[in-house]
Amino acid sequence: MRVLKFGGSSLASVQRFAEVAQIVRQLTSIDRICLVLSAPQGVTNTLVELTDIAYLGSDFSPLLQQLHQRYQQLTEDAAQCFPAAQLDQARLVIAHQLTQLQAQLTGVQLLRHCPDHIKAQILGLGEQFSVALMTALLNANQVQTVALDAVTLVKSSGDYLNATADVAASEQTLSQAITGQSAQVYVIAGFVSSNAQGETCLLGRNGSDYSGAIVAASIRASACEIWTDVDGVYSADPRQVKNAKLIDKLSYDEAMELSYFGAKVLHPKTIGPLARYNIPCFIKNTLNPAAPGTCIDNNGEGDALVKGISSLEHLSLITVSGPGLKGVVGMASRVFASMARSQISVSLITQSSSEFSISFCVPQLHLTAAKKALQQEFELELQTGLLRPFSILSDMAIVSLVGDGMRQHRGVAAKFFASLAQARVNVVAIAQDSSERSISAVIEQTACKNAVKVCHENFFSHIPSIDVFLVGCGVVGSELLAQIQRQQAFLHSRQVKVTVYGIANSKVVLLNNDGIDLQHWQQQLSSSSQAFSLATLNQFAQQQHLTNPVLVDCTSSEQVASQYADFLAAGFHVVTPNKKANTASFAYYQKLRLLAQQHRRRFLYETTVGAGLPVIDTLQGLLNAGDELLAFEGILSGSLSYIFGELEAGVSLSDVTQKAKALGFTEPDPRDDLSGMDVARKLLILAREAGMTLELSDVEVESVLPAGFAADVSISDFMAKLPQLDAAFSQRISATKAEGKVLRYIGEIVDGKCKVAIKALAADHPLAKVKDGENALAIHTRYYQPIPFVLRGYGAGAAVTSAGVFSDIMRTLSWQQQVE
């Protein structure tokens, strides 16, 4: 015989009842069926609410009438869909329940008290209706069906509301009932049972799974199928982790661990009775009956290192500590005996190796009772100082890795805790069983979803994510978005996921929970009215549980740069071609690096000096290898490289500046380039990277522009006045040519001093041939003498700069790759 259990979501309507009946009918061709049913979806919750209302002395009549109407509607719908169905028994059940409920709830209302045995009778009524309705539907479908009384046949002991099944006693009663009545299908209520005195007892909320396991064990079923609204057991809660994977096979031990630590598909007590008699269990989907589901048996085949990641929330961690624990026999026994007497479940236990403390987790709801029990048990020890006051951490959660395969592999724990560190989670306590089947960490509940998401990503999907928030969607920013869009397929093939969640301009920010459509972002941004701020982005990242958020600043804004410290502290990586932060005060320069290290974030700014050229990375590599910068010279501005090359060719200063601006070679305001301050900032960044404690004011700067020229006008007015300088520059170019030389804008570091200036170079000078937007840098170090280390390539243009920014964005993966 095969046991099938269907939950409330599978019985939400007559249509769902009919689907269940069809599944059962098909399976009767294979085997006889024992059908275990929950109450229709929502009915038990209504019964709980009715009891609570009556307990408070309030009027429960309107809600009772709603329940009556729900039952009547189900019955009427069944009569229409199945005209041949004999629904008299279902109507009798409804009438009996309403009479019983009215009387019991009135008594509770008058007494303002509801004994547990009465509450058990009330809460167990919904399943009886399901049994009566399903029996009628199956018989109407020509399936020989008999209803069994679970209260009489399923035996249990213990608490009225959370009883423990007595399989031995149930075996005798169920076997006799089934043997005495010949049928294809036997229908029985889940959730309810009776104790030795014949009183109704419940098997715990959502305990119909447990009922199915008890029935299967009692009749030695060939299989137990748990039918629900998902395809099976997943590697993580699919409501929290979008790419959670269906698990084909689990061992009994793995299933027990997952259910105990919060997996919602299985009731924690379900597996025990099945494992005892080696009865395979299948988790199936009523809405997708053809799906294979998850098989739970004694083998649990599969090569997966970790089968699943589960979490248990709303816990408190209690620590009992003090000299009275060390070496004293029976102290741990007393701690947990006090919990047992108060009927408080302990989720996790860990003890220090010095025996100085014992820590354990209890449900948050039971914290007050737990504290009271401990204080009563250890009153004398607390008074004499043998025990310290109990340490309590509330709002905690347990995240657990589960898998039999962990026993044969090294490094699982290391990868687990590296993943938690990557999610920026503080581990409060750790526990691992001796079977090495599970590893658990106690963390703050607010970090639980992030922890599960990152652990799942590292153990299952192996697709690290980069969550981009772009500020500044001008020439470079727009090109960056286009590059990200073009590279999606390539990145996917490399197992990397880059999602742009936010785009901001100087006025508003566009945010999208699923990532922004990069084909139509301009239209979407133009219709946004949400202001850009750190608080807005941080709240969004937390709500979406983003673990690798990256702020990409493609502006030249000093205001945005001044917020980098706040973004790093909030958990964002910062990637930018904006030079303002690294050339602010030296104290701020140091602060950014300290915050990045403290918060395990990356601050990346390769494009601030050489655009797409790896200038900073090269210099850092040399210094990390023990080299020392002796001197530097180079053309650091792609825009000025282009401008001076065109000046040499006879183009006027105003025309070439306009052309360079249109090509995206210059900053949004060309004065930042022509003033020499852009090169000065680049030179200062290089000097600081080399360990020099300089300020921007220490850099000697010769501007391309005369002092004060059009300094206080708009960009458009400046461009209109620029032709005033054409004649003077033309004369200077001609005079230089007459000497056989060329003009170039050069940055130098010599003897610890920085200088940028227009220099006349001989035709055979290496930098004389650098133009057309190229950069060229000569790095003189102790290792590279007398010939310097030279870098040369394009240092301007939206495509090159965006590619450099994109490369830095990809480097934020380094924190995640540490756990691979």
Side-chain angles (χ1 to χ4, degrees):
M1 182 175 290
R2 183 180 295 259
V3 171
L4 276 63
K5 176 267 171 182
F6 287 87
S9 60
S10 301
L11 304 170
S13 64
V14 167
Q15 178 61 36
R16 292 288 179 85
F17 269 84
E19 291 168 355
V20 171
Q22 180 63 21
I23 292 170
V24 173
R25 183 179 181 182
Q26 291 174 351
L27 289 174
T28 55
S29 63
I30 301 173
D31 202 350
R32 288 194 301 163
I33 303 296
C34 186
L35 187 58
V36 180
L37 300 180
S38 297
Q41 189 173 46
V43 167
T44 303
N45 288 338
T46 301
L47 294 170
V48 170
E49 190 176 354
L50 280 167
T51 307
D52 291 342
I53 291 173
Y55 180 84
L56 295 172
S58 302
D59 183 12
F60 56 80
S61 299
L63 187 59
L64 183 60
Q65 182 60 29
Q66 289 181 26
L67 178 62
H68 184 199
Q69 291 172 354
R70 173 82 189 280
Y71 280 157
Q72 281 189 322
Q73 187 64 53
L74 286 170
T75 308
E76 291 172 6
D77 290 346
Q80 292 179 1
C81 296
F82 302 93
Q86 298 297 318
L87 298 170
D88 293 344
Q89 183 59 37
R91 293 189 178 96
L92 284 174
V93 168
I94 295 173
H96 174 73
Q97 285 193 12
L98 291 174
T99 302
Q100 180 181 340
L101 275 170
Q102 183 72 48
Q104 290 176 322
L105 292 172
T106 300
V108 171
Q109 184 184 49
L110 292 172
L111 296 173
R112 300 289 181 91
H113 175 65
C114 184
D116 284 350
H117 71 281
I118 298 297
K119 191 171 186 178
Q121 292 177 20
I122 294 173
L123 301 189
L125 292 175
E127 283 72 15
Q128 296 176 21
F129 174 78
S130 294
V131 169
L133 184 57
M134 183 60 71
T135 301
L137 295 184
L138 287 170
N139 280 319
N141 278 278
Q142 308 304 313
V143 178
Q144 188 179 0
T145 304
V146 172
L148 303 177
D149 182 8
V151 175
T152 303
L153 301 178
V154 179
K155 298 301 181 181
S156 63
S157 61
D159 185 70
Y160 288 108
L161 302 179
N162 193 19
T164 301
D166 185 341
V167 175
S170 301
E171 179 180 344
Q172 183 177 1
T173 54
L174 282 166
S175 297
Q176 290 176 353
I178 291 173
T179 303
Q181 302 181 76
S182 177
Q184 293 175 284
V185 177
Y186 300 88
V187 186
I188 189 169
F191 188 38
V192 293
S193 63
S194 62
N195 58 21
Q197 290 74 43
E199 298 171 300
T200 299
C201 296
L202 304 181
L203 298 172
R205 280 305 304 269
N206 304 312
S208 292
D209 288 358
Y210 185 33
S211 296
I214 295 164
V215 172
S218 299
I219 64 176
R220 305 296 192 271
S222 59
C224 178
E225 298 181 4
I226 308 294
W227 288 77
T228 180
D229 55 1
V230 294
D231 283 344
V233 181
Y234 283 81
S235 54
D237 188 340
R239 293 169 298 182
Q240 295 183 15
V241 180
K242 293 180 180 179
N243 60 343
K245 300 181 183 302
L246 183 67
I247 304 172
D248 295 331
K249 282 184 171 291
L250 285 170
S251 69
Y252 292 126
D253 291 333
E254 289 172 330
M256 279 192 281
E257 293 281 358
L258 284 173
S259 63
Y260 180 75
F261 284 112
K264 303 297 189 295
V265 177
L266 279 172
H267 190 280
K269 296 180 182 179
T270 303
I271 301 301
L274 300 176
R276 180 179 176 186
Y277 297 103
N278 200 23
I279 298 171
C281 179
F282 297 88
I283 310 299
K284 305 276 285 182
N285 188 350
T286 309
L287 304 179
N288 185 19
T294 299
C295 174
I296 303 170
D297 58 20
N298 202 35
N299 298 319
E301 297 173 2
D303 298 326
L305 177 67
V306 174
K307 287 290 183 68
I309 300 170
S310 59
S311 60
L312 198 59
E313 300 184 37
H314 306 293
L315 303 172
S316 290
L317 180 69
I318 302 174
T319 299
V320 180
S321 64
L325 282 175
K326 186 172 178 61
V328 179
V329 176
M331 291 295 282
S333 174
R334 290 175 60 190
V335 169
F336 298 114
S338 68
M339 295 297 100
R341 285 194 297 270
S342 299
Q343 296 186 331
I344 297 172
S345 174
V346 175
S347 304
L348 175 146
I349 302 169
T350 183
Q351 183 174 12
S352 66
S353 57
S354 64
E355 300 183 32
F356 191 78
S357 67
I358 299 173
S359 299
F360 57 96
C361 288
V362 300
Q364 185 84 27
L365 289 172
H366 298 160
L367 176 59
T368 301
K371 286 168 58 179
K372 182 178 180 180
L374 288 171
Q375 287 166 351
Q376 291 175 345
E377 178 67 33
F378 296 105
E379 182 178 4
L380 181 60
E381 287 83 355
L382 290 168
Q383 289 177 354
T384 58
L386 290 174
L387 290 183
R388 294 176 176 175
F390 306 127
S391 171
I392 296 173
L393 296 176
S394 298
D395 299 317
M396 308 303 288
I398 299 173
V399 175
S400 300
L401 294 186
V402 176
D404 289 335
M406 296 193 298
R407 289 174 291 180
Q408 287 82 36
H409 291 79
R410 297 178 181 177
V412 177
K415 188 173 182 178
F416 178 42
F417 295 116
S419 298
L420 294 177
Q422 178 190 331
R424 305 174 74 242
V425 171
N426 181 41
V427 177
V428 179
I430 301 166
Q432 181 176 16
D433 70 348
S434 59
S435 71
E436 302 182 47
R437 183 174 291 111
S438 68
I439 306 172
S440 300
V442 181
I443 63 175
E444 293 179 354
Q445 183 168 308
T446 54
C448 183
K449 290 183 179 179
N450 282 352
V452 171
K453 181 179 178 181
V454 174
C455 288
H456 190 275
E457 191 172 84
N458 290 330
F459 281 95
F460 289 94
S461 68
H462 305 292
I463 301 180
S465 60
I466 304 176
D467 312 314
V468 175
F469 295 86
L470 173 68
V471 183
C473 42
V475 176
V476 174
S478 298
E479 173 61 23
L480 175 62
L481 292 174
Q483 290 182 6
I484 292 174
Q485 182 184 4
R486 288 196 301 269
Q487 287 298 103
Q488 287 298 329
F490 175 80
L491 293 172
H492 184 74
S493 71
R494 294 297 182 93
Q495 300 294 296
V496 175
K497 180 182 178 183
V498 178
T499 305
V500 179
Y501 284 101
I503 301 174
N505 57 25
S506 59
K507 299 178 181 178
V508 296
V509 61
L510 169 67
L511 298 170
N512 190 297
N513 296 350
D514 299 318
I516 296 170
D517 179 0
L518 297 183
Q519 286 188 323
H520 306 100
W521 65 267
Q522 293 96 334
Q523 300 93 310
Q524 296 175 50
L525 181 62
S526 63
S527 62
S528 176
S529 60
Q530 190 170 15
F532 165 77
S533 69
L534 167 62
T536 299
L537 264 59
N538 193 31
Q539 182 182 23
F540 179 89
Q542 290 182 358
Q543 289 175 344
Q544 298 303 311
H545 304 286
L546 304 181
T547 57
N548 199 42
V550 184
L551 176 77
V552 182
D553 175 20
C554 287
T555 73
S556 58
S557 166
E558 191 166 343
Q559 181 183 5
V560 176
S562 67
Q563 298 181 67
Y564 289 175
D566 298 326
F567 275 100
L568 288 167
F572 285 76
H573 302 287
V574 175
V575 171
T576 184
N578 185 346
K579 307 167 191 67
K580 301 295 172 62
N582 275 337
T583 57
S585 69
F586 189 74
Y588 187 61
Y589 175 88
Q590 290 180 307
K591 181 180 181 180
L592 292 177
R593 283 143 185 82
L594 180 62
L595 285 169
Q597 185 176 24
Q598 287 177 342
H599 295 277
R600 293 179 59 81
R601 300 288 91 176
R602 301 297 305 274
F603 176 38
L604 299 168
Y605 43 89
E606 182 65 73
T607 51
T608 57
V609 175
L613 291 178
V615 180
I616 293 173
D617 189 57
T618 299
L619 181 58
Q620 289 176 340
L622 292 172
L623 298 176
N624 289 339
D627 207 348
E628 178 185 357
L629 181 67
L630 301 178
F632 170 85
E633 62 177 340
I635 295 177
L636 293 173
S637 169
S639 56
L640 291 179
S641 167
Y642 176 81
I643 288 171
F644 275 84
E646 292 294 291
L647 289 172
E648 181 186 347
V651 183
S652 68
L653 178 64
S654 60
D655 286 345
V656 71
T657 302
Q658 182 67 52
K659 188 176 179 182
K661 184 176 184 297
L663 291 171
F665 284 1
T666 69
E667 296 292 321
D669 186 345
R671 282 171 291 191
D672 290 340
D673 299 275
L674 296 173
S675 68
M677 289 309 299
D678 183 61
V679 177
R681 290 180 186 278
K682 293 179 178 180
L683 200 63
L684 177 62
I685 293 171
L686 283 174
R688 285 178 168 179
E689 291 296 310
M692 302 177 190
T693 56
L694 300 176
E695 300 290 349
L696 188 58
S697 58
D698 296 324
V699 182
E700 183 182 343
V701 181
E702 178 189 351
S703 175
V704 175
L705 303 172
F709 179 81
D712 299 324
V713 299
S714 66
I715 295 175
S716 59
D717 288 344
F718 164 74
M719 296 300 295
K721 290 186 176 184
L722 194 56
Q724 298 175 15
L725 304 179
D726 287 347
F729 251 93
S730 179
Q731 292 176 5
R732 188 171 179 180
I733 293 292
S734 297
T736 304
K737 279 186 177 181
E739 298 175 1
K741 297 181 178 181
V742 296
L743 293 181
R744 294 292 183 263
Y745 202 79
I746 306 297
E748 296 179 326
I749 301 176
V750 180
D751 297 330
K753 296 181 179 179
C754 298
K755 179 181 179 180
V756 294
I758 301 173
K759 295 186 69 173
L761 304 178
D764 60 351
H765 191 286
L767 298 181
K769 300 184 184 300
V770 178
K771 54 185 177 180
D772 298 329
E774 276 193 294
N775 281 0
L777 305 91
I779 303 172
H780 299 265
T781 70
R782 286 194 297 111
Y783 293 169
Y784 286 89
Q785 285 289 354
I787 301 175
F789 189 105
V790 177
L791 284 170
R792 181 174 174 177
Y794 284 107
V800 170
T801 304
S802 298
V805 173
F806 201 166
S807 178
D808 272 352
I809 291 172
M810 298 303 296
R811 290 168 66 192
T812 62
L813 290 176
S814 61
W815 289 127
Q816 300 183 66
Q817 290 167 345
Q818 290 176 8
V819 301
E820 292 299 325

